[in-house]
């Protein structure tokens, strides 16, 4: 999830004075507006809970009024700080950090806590109306939707809420998976655009878990609706033989057989003004690292998906429980250590052929996975370390694991 502070605003206080406010954006969309003192308060709270050693550098206070250049410097420092906190598993998943952003979001959008009705859509376009509070966080809304659908509690963790945008030309693009630091009702209504909607979709990658979900009637219907809808959108490509099988199964009403047959999705690029790059540093040969860059409007979603797939893989490999993992992920409590229990392996394997170069593990080839916005220069040689926000998805995982 990409945090940025691209701009500041001069606002008026109640006493008539002016102050600088920092606009925090999530994936290019305004999430909240905060003052330096509020961010400093968050920093102090995190320091008390977790100690100074784990916290990134926070820009110091200034006695005198800041110049325009100093305001810009502080903006850059605060942006780096908020990104570093979010990317740290311990700090970014903490209730202190998440509750701060939820409160700031509600205050910025000036939406009071009140009973509201929220429309949540299924993959087939069916609308589910849930009665919630405007201040309910993502997990609360997800549970309300599950209750309305009669989805059992032990299957709730297999699904998530996603914010998508549907264009007038029937194009559809994923904006993001709703996170624990936001309030879904406020997130969608503050956009003031009917093209945006919240959709319930499965949130795991390994199709082996389909069997768990399909044991329940509601879970089976949700997977079936998502599979058919994804095929119709062209997100799942099928050949003529698969089309024939699908038609035959549909005529028989065999939902359970259709889901494994057609499983797997690909995100539609859609239309977006944001230009992003997904980059990773790859060991092309011995002692030669090279940045590989993919330009895509879905780069953030690709990065998040990459992290989720690896976490899920490592939990499965270590004999963990996906239900517990997904619950931890929703609560912001998932640590890399939870998904890597005693499964780390050395970066190099001894080759059976002494004349061959040792096999390099993927964890050594992919030293980091990163996201950045494309600036004025698109040259891959113009990449600087400070341009990137790390996603260490491949830490502790090797080629044989994948």
């Amino acid at each position: 999830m990409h945090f940025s502070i691209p701009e500041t605003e001069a606002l008026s206080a109640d006493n008539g004075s002016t102050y600088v406010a920092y606009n925090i954006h999530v994936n290019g969309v305004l999430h909240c507006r905060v003052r330096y003192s509020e961010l400093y308060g968050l920093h102090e709270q995190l320091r008390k809970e977790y100690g100074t050693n784990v916290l990134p550098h926070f820009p110091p206070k200034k006695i005198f009024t800041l110049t325009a250049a100093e305001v810009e410097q502080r903006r850059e420092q605060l942006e780096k700080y908020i990104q570093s906190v979010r990317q740290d598993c311990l700090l970014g998943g903490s209730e202190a950090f998440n509750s701060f952003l939820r409160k700031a979001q509600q205050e910025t959008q000036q939406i009071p806590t009140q009973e509201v009705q929220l429309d949540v859509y299924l993959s087939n376009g069916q609308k589910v109306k849930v009665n919630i509070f405007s201040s309910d966080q993502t997990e609360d809304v997800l549970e309300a939707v599950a209750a309305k659908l009669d989805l059992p509690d032990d299957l709730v963790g297999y699904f998530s809420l996603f914010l998508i945008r549907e264009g007038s030309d029937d194009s559809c693009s994923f904006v993001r998976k709703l996170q624990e630091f936001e309030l879904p009702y406020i997130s969608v209504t503050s956009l003031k655009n009917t093209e945006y909607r919240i959709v319930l979709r499965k949130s795991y990658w390994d199709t082996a878990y389909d069997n768990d979900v399909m044991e329940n009637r509601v879970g089976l219907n949700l997977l079936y609706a998502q599979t058919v809808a994804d095929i119709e959108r062209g997100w799942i490509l099928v050949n003529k033989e698969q089309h024939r099988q699908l038609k035959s199964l549909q005529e028989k009403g065999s939902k359970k057989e259709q889901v494994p047959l057609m499983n797997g999705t690909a995100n539609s690029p859609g239309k977006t003004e944001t230009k992003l790059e997904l980059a990773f540093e790859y060991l092309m040969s011995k002692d030669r690292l090279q940045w590989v860059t993919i330009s895509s409007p879905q780069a953030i979603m690709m990065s998040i998906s990459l992290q989720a797939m690896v976490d899920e893989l490592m939990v499965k490999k270590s004999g963990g429980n996906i239900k517990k993992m997904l619950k931890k992920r929703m609560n912001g409590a998932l640590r890399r250590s939870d998904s890597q229990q005693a499964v780390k392996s050395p970066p190099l394997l001894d080759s059976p052929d002494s004349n061959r170069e040792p096999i390099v593990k993927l964890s050594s080839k992919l030293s980091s996975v990163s996201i950045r916005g494309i600036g004025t220069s698109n040259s891959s040689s113009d990449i600087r370390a400070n341009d990137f926000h790390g996603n260490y998805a491949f830490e502790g995982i090797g080629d044989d694991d994948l």
Side-chain angles (χ1 to χ4, degrees):
M1 198 59 57
H2 180 57
F3 280 77
S4 64
I5 305 180
E7 58 192 4
T8 61
E9 286 187 55
L11 300 178
S12 298
D14 294 337
N15 60 8
S17 62
T18 61
Y19 64 91
V20 175
Y22 298 88
N23 294 332
I24 297 179
H25 288 236
V26 178
N27 291 12
V29 178
L30 177 66
H31 178 78
C32 62
R33 189 178 293 110
V34 296
R35 303 175 67 166
Y36 170 86
S37 59
E38 292 171 325
L39 287 172
Y40 181 76
L42 170 65
H43 175 74
E44 284 297 292
Q45 185 177 355
L46 292 173
R47 183 183 63 80
K48 291 178 182 178
E49 291 187 25
Y50 301 102
T52 304
N53 294 336
V54 300
L55 285 173
H57 172 73
F58 190 85
K61 291 182 177 181
K62 299 284 187 180
I63 299 177
F64 302 105
T65 303
L66 300 181
T67 65
E70 289 173 329
V71 169
E72 174 59 19
Q73 181 184 41
R74 176 175 279 183
R75 182 198 66 77
E76 293 176 353
Q77 292 173 337
L78 289 174
E79 181 177 77
K80 184 177 293 185
Y81 175 83
I82 203 78
Q83 289 168 351
S84 298
V85 170
R86 174 58 185 173
Q87 290 162 11
D88 184 280
C89 291
L90 182 65
L91 302 175
S94 67
E95 179 57 24
F97 180 73
N98 291 321
S99 62
F100 172 83
L101 289 175
R102 290 194 296 264
K103 180 181 178 182
Q105 182 188 26
Q106 185 173 15
E107 291 178 349
T108 299
Q109 302 301 337
Q110 297 182 335
I111 297 178
T113 298
Q114 56 189 350
E115 290 189 27
V116 295
Q117 189 173 75
L118 178 65
D119 292 336
V120 177
Y121 292 81
L122 305 184
S123 297
N124 59 3
Q126 180 182 343
K127 186 189 301 184
V128 180
K129 293 182 179 291
V130 290
N131 295 314
I132 60 170
F133 284 98
S134 55
S135 57
D136 280 349
Q137 60 196 61
T138 301
E139 184 179 358
D140 297 329
V141 177
L142 176 61
E143 290 178 349
V145 175
K148 193 69 177 287
L149 295 172
D150 290 329
L151 184 68
D153 291 343
D154 61 345
L155 293 183
V156 174
Y158 288 89
F159 294 87
S160 291
L161 301 175
F162 294 83
L163 182 65
I164 69 168
R165 184 175 187 177
E166 291 195 343
S168 55
D169 57 352
D170 292 331
S171 63
C172 180
S173 60
F174 283 86
V175 178
R176 67 178 180 273
K177 176 180 171 181
L178 295 182
Q179 302 293 311
E180 64 276 9
F181 58 75
E182 61 185 312
L183 311 174
Y185 176 81
I186 296 179
S187 292
V188 68
T189 56
S190 63
L191 292 169
K192 296 180 173 62
N193 189 328
T194 56
E195 290 184 352
Y196 291 93
R197 58 172 58 179
I198 296 175
V199 173
L200 178 74
R201 292 177 62 89
K202 74 172 189 176
S203 60
Y204 59 89
W205 299 93
D206 191 338
T207 56
Y209 294 118
D210 284 341
N211 293 328
D212 295 340
V213 179
M214 290 190 296
E215 289 179 358
N216 174 263
R217 175 186 57 82
V218 177
L220 172 60
N221 288 336
L222 289 173
L223 290 188
Y224 172 77
Q226 179 173 322
T227 302
V228 173
D230 288 353
I231 292 173
E232 291 175 350
R233 286 189 178 276
W235 294 357
I236 298 178
L237 301 180
V238 294
N239 55 37
K240 291 183 178 179
E241 175 58 24
Q242 288 173 321
H243 263 301
R244 186 193 65 76
Q245 293 180 47
L246 178 61
K247 185 176 180 180
S248 175
L249 290 170
Q250 284 179 317
E251 291 174 350
K252 297 177 182 178
S254 303
K255 295 181 179 180
K256 196 167 186 177
E257 287 76 9
Q258 291 180 61
V259 174
L261 173 67
M262 304 301 175
N263 215 303
T265 62
N267 294 333
S268 171
K271 296 181 180 179
T272 178
E273 298 176 358
T274 305
K275 295 182 179 180
L276 295 168
E277 290 181 350
L278 173 69
F280 50 88
E281 196 173 17
Y282 190 84
L283 188 64
M284 306 299 291
S285 61
K286 189 176 182 180
D287 301 325
R288 187 167 76 89
L289 282 167
Q290 180 174 323
W291 279 99
V292 178
T293 306
I294 302 172
S295 299
S296 169
Q298 294 292 331
I300 292 173
M301 178 62 74
M302 292 166 63
S303 176
I304 295 171
S305 300
L306 183 62
Q307 179 71 70
M309 283 188 284
V310 173
D311 279 336
E312 184 177 308
L313 175 65
M314 300 310 288
V315 167
K316 183 178 181 180
K317 183 178 177 67
S318 63
N321 189 311
I322 187 175
K323 297 177 185 178
K324 294 180 180 178
M325 182 200 75
L326 292 169
K327 191 71 172 178
K328 284 184 179 181
R329 185 182 296 158
M330 285 194 301
N331 291 333
L334 181 64
R335 312 276 184 266
R336 291 297 292 166
S337 58
D338 290 332
S339 63
Q340 294 178 2
Q341 304 165 8
V343 294
K344 288 189 176 182
S345 50
L348 297 178
L349 295 177
D350 294 331
S351 172
D353 185 348
S354 59
N355 295 322
R356 292 179 58 188
E357 185 178 352
I359 300 172
V360 182
K361 300 285 282 185
L362 195 59
S363 55
S364 295
K365 288 187 176 183
L366 289 166
S367 60
S368 66
V369 182
S370 310
I371 286 290
R372 77 164 182 170
I374 300 175
T376 55
S377 171
N378 292 331
S379 171
S380 59
S381 63
D382 193 40
I383 294 174
R384 302 185 305 275
N386 292 337
D387 292 334
F388 291 85
H389 314 297
N391 176 345
Y392 303 101
F394 286 96
E395 179 183 345
I397 190 172
D399 294 331
D400 56 338
D401 295 320
L402 296 177

